Amino acid sequence: MLRCMICDNAIRYRVLTPCDHSDLCLQCYLRAVICYNNHSCVVCTKEYSSYPIATTNLSPGITYKSAESKSKLLQLNEFHLLYSDAAVLNEIMNYMSFRCSFCKTKFSVFTNPNQLTTTATNLPQNLNNRINNAQNEFSNHLKNIHHQCACFICLNSHRFLPCEAISYSQRDFKLHKSEMHKKCPCCPFVGFDAHELEIHMNDIHVRCDICLQLYNKVLWFKNETELLDHYKKDHYICYHPQCIDSLIAFPTQLELLQHLTRVHH
């Protein structure tokens, strides 16, 4: 049985790449392209020289060139993909559909396979708009019909295909949110993971480097005004006009006096 080199699941629809590192399932390929805008091989890291081919042929001996020469291939520009079997379109339709786990209702990004083959003027925006519309329908359905919810932190992270969206009961969602996502200590922002939260903290908030240096203690503040209040309370601020706007502060009074003598004498 042929297994995908990324997810290790049995391959039903295979993606043949120009570099022939082709033990790749269609779902993992689509996730890389749609969610991560990644058009490179996961093995050799080379950017694909041409569109990969989606096929139901699982023969170990098949290569990209042999598949390219044997079949009349059609092109899917939105997915950077070639195909010859119409079953591939139906499989993509399944991957591009949100599913309610309570009643199994589907909310498809594309209403019929013909929309997959239609060339759009602005491909990424067109696809993103379709995904957002289906996502809103899915979320409204969960809320209004089942009084349940989806995790918008996961949905808006652009790390998952629509078919991978999960329906939660209110209790399960609270548990999921507390275990999987990280809340900012300074504002309502919730990051998808620790890395996303770290980026947010460094971009939006400020940290006391004196506390980090002295006590190996990480203290974050919402803005510079709050950091200044902390400096006034726990450290020694230089109130000279040249320094006050730059939030210059010191761990000890001696260091402040040395600074005043050296810089503002």
Side-chain angles (χ1 to χ4, degrees):
M1 181 183 294
L2 193 63
R3 307 191 77 86
C4 175
M5 59 187 171
I6 295 179
C7 67
D8 198 39
N9 290 330
I11 295 178
R12 293 174 55 246
Y13 291 83
R14 186 181 188 184
V15 175
L16 305 174
T17 62
C19 55
D20 279 329
H21 294 125
S22 299
D23 291 345
L24 179 63
C25 74
L26 181 57
Q27 184 170 348
C28 285
Y29 172 79
L30 291 175
R31 189 188 307 109
V33 170
I34 295 169
C35 302
Y36 295 94
N37 195 28
N38 183 4
H39 305 283
S40 301
C41 173
V42 297
V43 177
C44 65
T45 70
K46 291 181 180 177
E47 188 169 339
Y48 298 135
S49 57
S50 56
Y51 284 180
I53 301 170
T55 180
T56 54
N57 188 335
L58 305 182
S59 170
I62 190 172
T63 65
Y64 182 86
K65 285 188 176 180
S66 64
E68 190 179 32
S69 62
K70 288 180 181 178
S71 307
K72 182 181 179 181
L73 298 172
L74 302 173
Q75 190 165 294
L76 293 173
N77 289 321
E78 292 205 63
F79 304 102
H80 297 256
L81 198 63
L82 301 174
Y83 75 100
S84 60
D85 190 340
V88 169
L89 297 181
N90 292 323
E91 190 69 1
I92 293 176
M93 288 274 294
N94 288 330
Y95 295 143
M96 299 303 293
S97 297
F98 295 91
R99 295 184 187 87
C100 172
S101 62
F102 301 103
C103 67
K104 310 306 179 186
T105 302
K106 290 173 62 174
F107 301 87
S108 298
V109 174
F110 298 93
T111 56
N112 63 72
N114 291 333
Q115 291 180 336
L116 294 170
T117 61
T118 303
T119 303
T121 305
N122 202 332
L123 296 178
Q125 284 78 359
N126 180 64
L127 182 57
N128 287 337
N129 288 340
R130 287 182 181 276
I131 292 173
N132 288 337
N133 290 338
Q135 175 179 305
N136 290 335
E137 290 179 7
F138 169 64
S139 300
N140 289 335
H141 168 84
L142 290 176
K143 179 181 178 181
N144 298 328
I145 303 300
H146 302 291
H147 306 290
Q148 309 296 347
C149 60
C151 179
F152 274 96
I153 302 168
C154 288
L155 293 177
N156 294 330
S157 71
H158 304 295
R159 289 171 168 85
F160 307 100
L161 292 174
C163 68
E164 296 165 339
I166 299 175
S167 312
Y168 293 97
S169 67
Q170 297 292 342
R171 183 178 64 84
D172 287 343
F173 174 65
K174 287 181 180 179
L175 183 63
H176 161 82
K177 188 175 178 181
S178 65
E179 290 182 347
M180 299 303 296
H181 304 305
K182 307 297 180 182
K183 186 182 183 305
C184 174
C186 301
C187 74
F189 175 83
V190 180
F192 176 79
D193 54 17
H195 176 65
E196 188 173 282
L197 178 60
E198 181 183 0
I199 293 173
H200 164 82
M201 299 295 292
N202 284 301
D203 286 348
I204 305 299
H205 304 301
V206 287
R207 183 184 65 193
C208 177
D209 290 329
I210 297 175
C211 287
L212 182 62
Q213 176 187 347
L214 286 180
Y215 315 115
N216 197 28
K217 185 178 181 180
V218 179
L219 287 180
W220 286 95
F221 297 90
K222 185 175 181 179
N223 49 44
E224 290 185 348
T225 301
E226 290 190 3
L227 178 61
L228 184 60
D229 290 340
H230 167 72
Y231 280 169
K232 290 176 181 177
K233 179 182 176 183
D234 295 315
H235 304 304
Y236 296 87
I237 300 175
C238 178
Y239 286 98
H240 192 281
Q242 292 179 354
C243 290
I244 189 64
D245 290 339
S246 301
L247 297 177
I248 303 297
F250 300 90
T252 65
Q253 190 174 24
L254 176 60
E255 289 175 86
L256 172 60
L257 291 173
Q258 290 174 337
H259 165 79
L260 290 171
T261 301
R262 186 175 65 253
V263 178
H264 305 301
H265 53 276

